[in-house]
Amino acid sequence: MKRAILDALTRPAAGPMIRALDRETGQERLIDPFSDETPLGLAARSAARTDVSGEIEVGGRTWFLEVHNPPLELVLVGAVHIAQPLAQMALLAGYRVRVIDPRAAFATPARFPGVALDQGWPDEILGKSPLGTRSALVVLAHDPKIDDPALEAALASPAFYIGALGSKKTHAARLERLSGRGFDGAALARIRGPVGLAIGARSPAEIALSILAQMTQTLRT
Amino acid sequence: MSDELQTAAAWLADRRKVALATVIQTWGSAPRPAGSQIVVRDDGAFLGSVSGGCVEGAVIEAALSTIADSRNRELEFGVTDAEAWNVGLACGGRIRIFVEPVEE
């Protein structure tokens, strides 16, 4: 790998990029998969979308397409107890983690080491740094004033996972409020609630595990 | 972007020599998918994985040779390999790995 390519791939805030490598000649190219319309560029686009690296033949040459996607991101709304193990587990799984909670007493660095903390309102923060295709959002605050605006922002985004903590009853009430705000059934079906896989989770860490498992399932299957 | 490449960049900034090993192709139940990488420093320090730990030692050795002679290498591991009793994949899969220097 040429130093210039490494530098481009490690630039802060770099978007999705593909390194195309011809192993026979050692030639390598850096491809922006969402602007390159050549046959190789289109193959790179498909590799970036599926997040799968591999070899492909284009114009009689074999290229290895190495996918360099931006990191996965998890946004937690509500710096509550469950958010603590979920943030740490998500960090281990390779996510960048952000926690949003306007209540200053909750979102403290001592409770969330290694995590970006935003002590503001979710709709304002998500308006400034929106969710992308590699983002997941989970609302945990139990407070519609905090959770609902975050869900509205997530539904307007291409986030791959949207989860909402709460019982079936809480969730039904939440869906009714959002429906009143103009979201249709297809939009509301994107929200996973009650959140997490049904593994009989009880403790905050077990619930966090069920959520991260469901996020992984949504991303990979 | 990945931790491996970030580490490679940091090592180069420290004027160390670095090689990169990448899983190019897998067959059967290989533990790490194509695109998985290890970065190796000239003193043998490394980050990342290309298997479940079965072949990393051999890959690091090849990477050190690549750091020494600046040449690309290809490695293939699998249970059918002649060296299977020595270095191989217990899972029964097969993997091809490309080793290259990271340099100007």
Side-chain angles (χ1 to χ4, degrees):
Chain A
M1 180 181 280
K2 289 267 177 278
R3 183 69 191 267
I5 288 186
L6 177 71
D7 290 345
L9 291 175
T10 52
R11 229 180 32 230
M17 271 198 283
I18 305 287
R19 179 173 73 128
L21 173 70
D22 178 344
R23 287 183 292 126
E24 256 172 57
T25 61
Q27 195 195 340
E28 54 183 344
R29 283 190 207 165
L30 202 56
I31 299 174
D32 175 347
F34 293 103
S35 72
D36 189 330
E37 301 294 333
T38 65
L40 190 57
L42 294 174
R45 185 172 309 169
S46 150
R49 282 221 173 104
T50 55
D51 203 20
V52 174
S53 302
E55 282 195 321
I56 185 152
E57 224 183 280
V58 173
R61 278 176 88 174
T62 302
W63 293 92
F64 177 66
L65 299 181
E66 189 180 283
V67 179
H68 295 274
N69 268 329
L72 294 162
E73 176 194 48
L74 172 62
V75 175
L76 298 175
V77 175
V80 298
H81 194 173
I82 287 170
Q84 291 178 280
L86 183 50
Q88 296 308 311
M89 288 179 191
L91 286 172
L92 287 174
Y95 287 78
R96 301 276 163 87
V97 181
R98 282 199 280 162
V99 174
I100 302 175
D101 198 318
R103 303 166 295 185
F106 285 75
T108 66
R111 282 161 50 87
F112 292 96
V115 169
L117 299 173
D118 278 315
Q119 292 175 354
W121 290 92
D123 46 341
E124 282 169 26
I125 291 161
L126 295 173
K128 269 181 250 158
S129 46
L131 304 168
T133 54
R134 290 174 62 77
S135 302
L137 174 134
V138 182
V139 299
L140 304 164
H142 291 297
D143 180 344
K145 283 200 306 298
I146 300 171
D147 286 347
D148 285 10
L151 288 171
E152 289 191 28
L155 287 172
S157 81
F160 75 89
Y161 181 90
I162 304 171
L165 186 73
S167 66
K168 280 183 186 156
K169 208 171 139 196
T170 308
H171 192 59
R174 173 186 290 137
L175 293 182
E176 200 153 314
R177 288 194 306 274
L178 289 169
S179 167
R181 299 272 299 168
F183 291 96
D184 62 16
L188 297 179
R190 289 177 65 199
I191 304 175
R192 304 305 196 93
V195 72
L197 295 183
I199 56 172
R202 282 191 193 169
S203 69
E206 288 172 0
I207 294 166
L209 183 65
S210 79
I211 297 172
L212 186 58
Q214 192 174 46
M215 286 164 53
T216 307
Q217 185 184 49
T218 308
L219 179 69
R220 302 293 185 198
T221 65
Chain B
M1 203 171 295
S2 68
D3 287 348
E4 288 79 14
L5 294 186
Q6 296 290 358
T7 299
W11 285 343
L12 288 169
D14 283 347
R15 302 182 169 252
R16 305 300 294 256
K17 291 192 164 182
V18 176
L20 177 68
T22 306
V23 177
I24 297 294
Q25 224 175 339
T26 68
W27 299 263
S29 60
R32 301 277 290 132
S36 303
Q37 296 184 313
I38 296 188
V39 288
V40 181
R41 195 169 65 184
D42 49 32
D43 61 353
F46 72 98
L47 184 77
S49 68
V50 291
S51 75
C54 322
V55 303
E56 268 71 4
V59 172
I60 289 159
E61 224 170 278
L64 291 173
S65 304
T66 283
I67 287 172
D69 65 12
S70 285
R71 294 174 69 136
N72 299 337
R73 282 177 169 70
E74 276 194 33
L75 309 170
E76 212 176 299
F77 299 98
V79 282
T80 54
D81 199 283
E83 293 178 306
W85 58 273
N86 183 9
V87 176
L89 296 172
C91 53
R94 198 148 63 89
I95 57 176
R96 180 176 295 151
I97 292 172
F98 185 73
V99 185
E100 63 194 306
V102 184
E103 55 189 19
E104 294 305 323

